[in-house]
Amino acid sequence: MHSFRRFQLKPAPRPGKALTSPSSILLYCRRGFEKECAAEILVQTQAAGISGHVRAKENSAHVVFVAHEPEILANRAARLRFDALIFARQRIFASGPLADLPVDDRITPLLDTAAGLQRRYSTLWLETADTNEAKELAAFTRKFERPFAAAAAGLLGGGPQAPRLHVFFLTSTAAYLGYTLPDDSAPWPCGIPRLKLPRSAPSRSTLKLEEAFLVFVDRPETMLRPGMSAVDLGAAPGGWTWQLVRRHIRTTAVDNGNLDPALLDSGLVTHLRTDGFRFRPSRPVDWLVCDMVEQPSRIARLVADWAADGAFRYAVFNLKLPMNRRYEEVERCRGLIEERLAAQGVSHRLRFRQLYHDREEVTGFLELVS
Ligand SMILES: C[S@@+](CC[C@H](N)C(=O)[O-])C[C@H]1O[C@@H](n2cnc3c(N)ncnc32)[C@H](O)[C@@H]1O
């Protein structure tokens, strides 16, 4: 059962003080992608019949959708899947902003608001935007966390499936307060998975594929098994191949460039210096991964071609975005793939996400469903 049913946004009639509906949706995104994040939340809320407007300040790394009727947002929130968003790192049902928090007692108004939204929370995350300016608030949030958590103890301890409490500080005296539902949100503070670059990995890009696996692979024990096969298009110097080899997956690495020799020593890698747009494996593989720097629609067509032939089960591919109309470009690529697979009658699951380790790019995931 989905947690929206268990923790209804709409206050259940219960004894005691009635809960209030959150008025806004707060989204964290990569700095510079506020416009894209705003556009997609407007599309998603409109499709769900929730009217509202967005506040999206350039380079603020967050966007706020303000519902014109919070009750409608509450009633229809279950239609808004976090998974369907591309540019949002986290999505919070929020109240606020609470401005002019008294410096000698920020806790009372924050706690009052938290108690008004949900009865109990599983955990507390104090957060700021992913900008250099906001990072200056980190010292403040670190100091504030302990006294606030102590004061909020009565609201916490709701069990792992209970909503998480988020306080998003704009300044040390202004904040949004809200919650996420654990099975319909990102599982990391600030929506950022803090991954360590493995010492033996040949490139930083390795973290993109590691994050993609964390975000998209919901059954790692069946989807990433030792002995599986993969093709890595645009593999050099080998950061993505490294992630596959680490999981004992036999990999054909396609690139004119050199691969880290340690990968070749693993015995699991075949390096082909050929064009990734021409190569096709002689039989279907479990995984296609593709990080070639090319026009996004060209990559989308390539992935669609492989998928139409059933040449893989799962694919992770990176789309390098143009300077303008970036959201539209991702949707165009989605359309290309969807159209092709619909024409072939191929059942599938397709998702896109701008990962934390992505820059001017997004990552796609395509699973063919038999
Ligand atoms: C961003 S790098 C890949 C980095 C790699 N994923 C890693 O983790 O180390 C892009 C690679 O795509 C390769 N590439 C670009 N066009 C290609 C093509 N048509 N066929 C094969 N490789 C291509 C480039 O040679 C380059 O090594």
Side-chain angles (χ1 to χ4, degrees), residues 131-150:
T131 63
N132 289 337
E133 305 78 61
K135 277 188 196 119
E136 286 168 21
L137 281 172
F140 159 74
T141 53
R142 264 197 306 275
K143 227 168 76 190
F144 185 63
E145 181 153 15
R146 195 184 283 199
F148 185 63

Side-chain angles (χ1 to χ4, degrees), residues 130-274:
D130 185 21
T131 63
N132 289 337
E133 305 78 61
K135 277 188 196 119
E136 286 168 21
L137 281 172
F140 159 74
T141 53
R142 264 197 306 275
K143 227 168 76 190
F144 185 63
E145 181 153 15
R146 195 184 283 199
F148 185 63
L155 280 173
L156 299 172
Q161 286 309 309
R164 301 183 201 99
L165 174 59
H166 296 251
V167 185
F168 177 70
F169 282 97
L170 298 165
T171 68
S172 63
T173 56
Y176 282 92
L177 186 140
Y179 58 90
T180 51
L181 303 173
D183 67 358
D184 195 27
S185 61
W188 307 288
C190 298
I192 298 177
R194 302 276 171 198
L195 303 178
K196 212 168 143 222
L197 182 64
R199 261 221 221 135
S200 58
S203 66
R204 261 203 92 70
S205 289
T206 199
L207 297 179
K208 282 195 282 184
L209 189 59
E210 185 176 359
E211 185 181 351
F213 286 157
L214 282 175
V215 168
F216 298 124
V217 172
D218 49 5
R219 292 160 280 122
E221 59 298 337
T222 53
M223 293 169 68
L224 285 168
R225 281 195 322 269
M228 281 181 144
S229 57
V231 169
D232 182 356
L233 300 179
W240 286 29
T241 294
W242 188 91
Q243 289 292 340
L244 296 161
V245 166
R246 212 191 106 188
R247 292 169 173 83
H248 306 281
I249 294 175
R250 275 177 296 110
T251 305
T252 303
V254 179
D255 201 307
N256 269 322
N258 291 333
L259 280 190
D260 180 348
L263 287 172
L264 301 172
D265 293 345
S266 71
L268 289 168
V269 178
T270 307
H271 182 193
L272 298 180
R273 293 180 191 273
T274 182

Side-chain angles (χ1 to χ4, degrees), residues 277 293-301 319-320 329 332:
F277 286 95
V293 182
E294 251 298 341
Q295 279 181 23
S297 56
R298 218 178 151 206
I299 302 289
R301 279 197 198 92
L319 300 180
K320 319 285 172 193
E329 187 63 20
R332 192 165 80 90

Side-chain angles (χ1 to χ4, degrees), residues 109-120:
L110 289 173
L111 273 189
D112 282 352
T113 309
L117 284 178
Q118 292 284 347
R119 305 265 176 226
R120 297 273 269 185

